[in-house]
Amino acid sequence: MEVPAVDTIACENIDRAMNIEMRDHGSLPRGMKWSMYLMAREAAGMSLVQAAAQEFDRAPCQVLLASGAAVPDHMPVGENDGPIGTAALARALVAIGHTVRIVTDGAAAAPFRGLLRALGVQAEVLEIGLDDAGMQQELARAHDVFCAIERLGGNANGIIYGATGVSRAPHRANLDLLFDTARSLGKRTIGIGDGGNEIGFGKVHARLSREWPQYDYRQATPCGGGVYSVVETDVLLVANSSNLGAHAVTAGLALLRGDLSLCHTAEQEFALAHVGVGLGLIDGGSGQLRPWCDGVPPRANAAVVEIMRTIVAQSLAPAGRRAF
């Protein structure tokens, strides 16, 4: 039996793998991941991996990835969730012919360049200022596909907040205008996130606010708008961490292209986690400089990457003959 053009079973299983919750009882929410996934899955009408990968499965074009989450003193050059996934996704996109640029804050730019060097990927890293609306509009016009990976989106009052209700507006560019402008121009947009406060979650904002109000932290946000983002993207992909969401998209691309080499690997994941430490990237789950991501140890994240790659490899393998 031939493998269908789109192996929907494989895509659904990658969706499940990227949403395995492994967080501890720390400050980050637990227990809502699958519920958020189902909201996004219903909105997409198909596997989230398939929906996101399809946006990149096109003739070579200009792709803009947005990521980075620096916080002065606490995370001076940012957390590792976002940059690692962005670099890995950039590798796959460049491999299929796309021209990739990454936009981030000046304080967070150096680690992206370091991760790209570690993977041998040629992609330009652009630094954007806090209120550079002109640059956002220019970028929206200059690119064809846009993907935010662990990048905060504004709430109903247009303010970006961390997961516990602390405003990040004083030191991080709000890229709502970039994604809203891109959509108004008919460009395709993707949001990859894990907490509800990232670009893309506007697609499920009403349900998220209604079903999980305790993690909106409306009382904690000075403006009263909560942390959940109202910024929509054409595709919203929810994962246990945004890195794993980006890795899942590379697996989806590998399925669509029939090319296992596009998959991120466990070895790359483990190595990049440690490269990130050398670049100053922080584990957002603990606030520590360590190779964990959102409180999950690197071997566990690498294991999930290996599972996703195995799903692709098994899907692409020639059908074996029956032994009887």
Side-chain angles (χ1 to χ4, degrees), residues 76-320:
V77 298
E79 65 171 314
N80 56 16
D81 191 25
I84 291 175
T86 299
L89 180 56
R91 182 194 70 82
L93 296 176
V94 169
I96 62 176
H98 295 315
T99 299
V100 177
R101 301 168 93 188
I102 298 168
V103 62
T104 191
D105 306 287
F112 284 94
R113 296 187 178 107
L115 292 166
L116 291 171
R117 283 195 301 271
L119 287 174
V121 177
Q122 296 295 316
E124 184 180 6
V125 179
L126 307 173
E127 300 180 21
I128 191 165
L130 284 180
D131 302 306
D132 199 337
M135 183 176 180
Q136 292 196 44
Q137 293 172 328
E138 180 183 340
L139 291 174
R141 290 190 294 268
H143 296 81
D144 304 300
V145 182
F146 302 76
C147 181
I149 305 166
E150 188 67 12
R151 186 74 195 191
L152 297 184
N155 66 5
N157 296 316
I159 302 174
I160 56 175
Y161 284 97
T164 57
V166 178
S167 174
R168 303 303 188 200
H171 45 258
R172 197 177 305 170
N174 182 328
L175 300 183
D176 296 1
L177 177 63
L178 169 61
F179 279 79
D180 289 343
T181 302
R183 293 192 77 206
S184 72
L185 294 172
K187 311 292 183 74
R188 300 300 293 175
T189 59
I190 305 158
I192 300 176
D194 58 28
N197 56 337
E198 299 95 350
I199 289 172
F201 275 93
K203 202 169 188 69
V204 297
H205 182 269
R207 284 192 62 185
L208 194 56
S209 301
R210 182 173 65 250
E211 297 183 24
W212 291 94
Q214 64 270 44
Y215 294 126
D216 197 10
Y217 295 106
R218 286 185 177 271
Q219 302 304 316
T221 54
C223 73
V227 306
Y228 293 151
S229 174
V230 300
V231 182
E232 291 191 46
T233 50
D234 295 298
V235 176
L236 167 64
L237 187 145
V238 179
N240 184 56
S241 69
S242 295
N243 281 348
L244 288 178
H247 302 336
V249 176
T250 71
L253 270 173
L255 280 171
L256 295 179
R257 293 281 176 131
D259 184 355
L260 185 62
S261 72
L262 296 176
C263 283
H264 189 50
T265 70
E267 293 78 15
Q268 289 169 334
E269 176 67 9
F270 192 76
L272 289 180
H274 289 81
V275 169
V277 171
L279 295 169
L281 293 174
I282 300 295
D283 165 29
S286 66
Q288 299 176 32
L289 182 62
R290 62 178 186 173
W292 296 40
C293 178
D294 276 359
V296 177
R299 292 194 185 278
N301 288 314
V304 176
V305 170
E306 182 64 24
I307 288 171
M308 293 192 290
R309 188 176 185 279
T310 299
I311 292 170
V312 175
Q314 297 289 70
S315 173
L316 297 181

Side-chain angles (χ1 to χ4, degrees), residues 9-31:
I9 294 174
C11 288
E12 297 284 2
N13 283 323
I14 294 170
D15 274 20
R16 295 184 181 95
M18 71 182 180
N19 277 290
I20 298 171
E21 284 207 59
M22 297 179 283
R23 292 176 175 176
D24 60 17
H25 293 272
S27 60
L28 294 174
R30 296 170 69 241

